[in-house]
Amino acid sequence: MNNQIVSYYSYVLIFSSILIIIGLVFGGFTPINEQVATPSYDLALPVSLSFSAFILLIIFIFSSIILWGSKSLASNLIIDSSALSFSILNYVNFYVIYEIWRPEIIPLPLFFYIHYSNINELTVDFGQIALIIFFYRLYKRNKSV
């Protein structure tokens, strides 16, 4: 790989770590009133992680819409870092949900099949979509250099 690609993606990893920290800080502002409905579980952690991941998803969507196709290094850094940071927090959130409730979670292409207590749900996995876009951009950047 080219040194330029390696240095760019090291900046992507650093900036995505910063975005994860910022997202987790905003997760503390989540209003949580679910303790009344489900007193046996503490939902503060999964709800705040979901909110943090949602903030990073919104950053990824808006930056992709506004900055896609830009030749600026900072614009591309924001798109790639927000995609990677959202994917990481998304999968950490699924792991926390699995550890709390122990549902059966089956990853499918672009979906998660979740079975818990006679309830079946097919959930869109936005983390996979963000990773596909991230790796597409990685491939495209590697091919152009």
Side-chain angles (χ1 to χ4, degrees):
M1 259 194 191
N2 191 351
N3 258 349
Q4 187 179 17
I5 299 290
V6 172
S7 65
Y8 172 76
Y9 281 100
S10 63
Y11 286 127
V12 167
L13 288 174
I14 291 168
F15 195 65
S16 65
S17 301
I18 292 169
L19 282 176
I20 288 172
I21 292 170
I22 290 170
L24 289 175
V25 167
F26 281 116
F29 296 117
T30 307
I32 300 172
N33 292 332
E34 285 87 4
Q35 284 85 5
V36 176
T38 56
S40 60
Y41 296 112
D42 183 22
L43 298 178
L45 183 61
V47 171
S48 64
L49 276 175
S50 295
F51 185 69
S52 299
F54 176 72
I55 289 172
L56 294 177
L57 176 65
I58 294 300
I59 291 171
F60 170 64
I61 289 172
F62 285 149
S63 65
S64 295
I65 290 171
I66 295 170
L67 303 174
W68 194 277
S70 173
K71 302 294 182 196
S72 170
L73 183 67
S75 300
N76 289 319
L77 183 69
I78 291 171
I79 294 170
D80 292 337
S81 299
S82 61
L84 188 61
S85 61
F86 165 69
S87 295
I88 291 169
L89 262 185
N90 183 45
Y91 292 122
V92 166
N93 187 33
F94 273 112
Y95 176 74
V96 168
I97 288 170
Y98 175 77
E99 284 297 318
I100 290 176
W101 289 289
R102 298 286 180 179
E104 180 183 353
I105 300 176
I106 301 171
L108 301 170
L110 303 178
F111 293 98
F112 272 121
Y113 175 76
I114 302 172
H115 175 77
Y116 180 73
S117 181
N118 295 326
I119 298 172
N120 300 319
E121 181 178 345
L122 191 63
T123 305
V124 175
D125 185 12
F126 290 108
Q128 283 184 30
I129 296 169
L131 280 177
I132 289 170
I133 292 171
F134 176 76
F135 285 122
Y136 168 74
R137 291 175 56 87
L138 171 71
Y139 173 75
K140 188 176 171 185
R141 180 176 288 275
N142 193 17
K143 193 174 177 184
S144 69
V145 171

